[in-house]
Amino acid sequence: MQPGATSATPGDRAARWRGDGVGPRWSLPRAVALAFVAFLVACALWIVVQAAGDRDGYGILLGGCGAVLLAHLLGFLVVAWLPRRRSPRQVTSVRTPDGLLGVRFAYSRWAYYWLTALLLLSILSGGSMVLLLAATGGSVDRLVAAGVGALLLLTGWFLVTVLRLGVGAVTISPGGITHRGLVHLHVVPWHAVREVAAGVRAGSAAVVVEADPSPDTVVRHYTGWFGTGDGREVPRLVVRTVWLATDPVAVLDALAFFHQHPRARDELADSRGLRRITEGRTRPPGREGHSHSGAH
């Protein structure tokens, strides 16, 4: 198991998450970072006000663009770092790529909005800087502009791929687990799964499925090496809970339950599996009264 991964017994799967399922505990560095970005947003707005008083159109444009970019950075950090309430019932029946019916836990559209909007604004602001340096700068400035421009092209490729693939999801079917992340697809058959546990990646809660290599495993990296950390952990399947629209504890419980009860997997092909999950009958013994209050 790689550093940062966690393992837990079936009755203690959320041990490394907070008791309410909200992931790693409050962090002072994160609180300071959020406060600092909020301060920068206020400074950008102050520049807009001052520029408006001086009738400085350039200052208004610069301060306004900075405020919008920083506000979206703050919004993304809030979604990524702070607990938010999510329903355990946002699950649906779908057909998987192998033609089987299954149960789908969708990614959060709000998380996608903050990420894609932040990337787009970064590309636009960075592109403006590149054009300015290329047009008015010297040879060193043009060299810097070329490097920044190459990074922006990679970021744009990543953003286009995310938008092209659409909102990701975790789907479980009688055949196995399918995880379509931001820019990768990972399908793990049940017979390759060794353990399902709560984990932590880069300070964020994650559902970790330990799996053995198998010829039935499917892996597709749509942006090659320029992808996400989750996709680089193959054959281990990792789902960072920040992206899930459904309560991550409900997702963790469902994956662990059907891993431990092979005879129940046929239920996933019809309404029985969906009903079992939404009624909370995949929770481990001793946690039946747990309230899925949302996870981070």
Side-chain angles (χ1 to χ4, degrees):
M1 186 175 295
Q2 294 181 352
T6 63
S7 177
T9 60
D12 192 30
R13 287 196 299 266
R16 292 296 300 272
W17 297 357
R18 282 171 48 177
D20 58 0
V22 182
R25 296 184 181 277
W26 178 83
S27 167
L28 178 60
R30 288 184 175 184
V32 172
L34 288 172
F36 179 68
V37 176
F39 172 73
L40 293 180
V41 173
C43 289
L45 292 174
W46 180 82
I47 291 175
V48 172
V49 173
Q50 291 294 109
D54 297 337
R55 296 183 179 180
D56 179 5
Y58 180 76
I60 294 173
L61 179 62
L62 182 64
C65 291
V68 172
L69 177 61
L70 290 169
H72 278 78
L73 174 60
L74 180 62
F76 177 73
L77 293 179
V78 166
V79 168
W81 286 352
L82 297 184
R84 64 186 193 270
R85 183 170 293 274
R86 286 177 276 188
S87 170
R89 300 181 180 277
Q90 293 186 18
V91 294
T92 56
S93 292
V94 296
R95 189 168 295 278
T96 61
D98 56 8
L100 299 174
L101 288 176
V103 176
R104 179 177 185 265
F105 304 95
Y107 270 23
S108 168
R109 294 182 181 274
W110 273 113
Y112 261 69
Y113 165 76
W114 289 114
L115 173 67
T116 56
L118 178 61
L119 289 177
L120 178 60
L121 290 170
S122 299
I123 292 170
L124 292 176
S125 59
S128 300
M129 183 188 73
V130 166
L131 292 176
L132 182 63
L133 288 175
T136 63
S139 57
V140 175
D141 293 330
R142 291 191 180 93
L143 184 61
V144 171
V148 174
L151 180 60
L152 291 176
L153 287 175
L154 282 174
T155 305
W157 176 41
F158 182 89
L159 175 59
V160 169
T161 304
V162 170
L163 295 175
R164 177 175 61 84
L165 295 177
V167 179
V170 178
T171 304
I172 52 177
S173 70
I177 305 170
T178 299
H179 176 214
R180 192 167 62 74
L182 295 174
V183 289
H184 83 285
L185 174 71
H186 189 186
V187 182
V188 177
W190 287 114
H191 65 77
V193 176
R194 288 190 285 109
E195 181 186 22
V196 178
V200 177
R201 291 295 186 278
S204 297
V207 176
V208 179
V209 178
E210 295 290 343
D212 295 320
S214 168
D216 298 320
T217 296
V218 176
V219 180
R220 294 174 185 168
H221 297 285
Y222 296 103
T223 53
W225 59 268
F226 189 62
T228 61
D230 300 350
R232 288 190 287 269
E233 295 210 29
V234 175
R236 179 186 293 120
L237 186 149
V238 176
V239 182
R240 295 179 192 254
T241 64
V242 63
W243 300 111
L244 293 170
T246 307
D247 176 5
V249 176
V251 178
L252 176 69
D253 288 345
L255 267 62
F257 176 86
F258 288 104
H259 165 56
Q260 296 161 10
H261 299 84
R263 294 183 179 179
R265 293 172 192 165
D266 288 341
E267 297 179 3
L268 295 168
D270 53 51
S271 61
R272 292 175 298 163
L274 181 62
R275 189 165 57 248
R276 178 187 290 275
I277 293 169
T278 56
E279 291 176 357
R281 290 187 284 119
T282 56
R283 300 172 191 164
R287 197 152 59 79
E288 286 78 2
H290 172 77
S291 174
H292 291 300
S293 60
H296 159 54

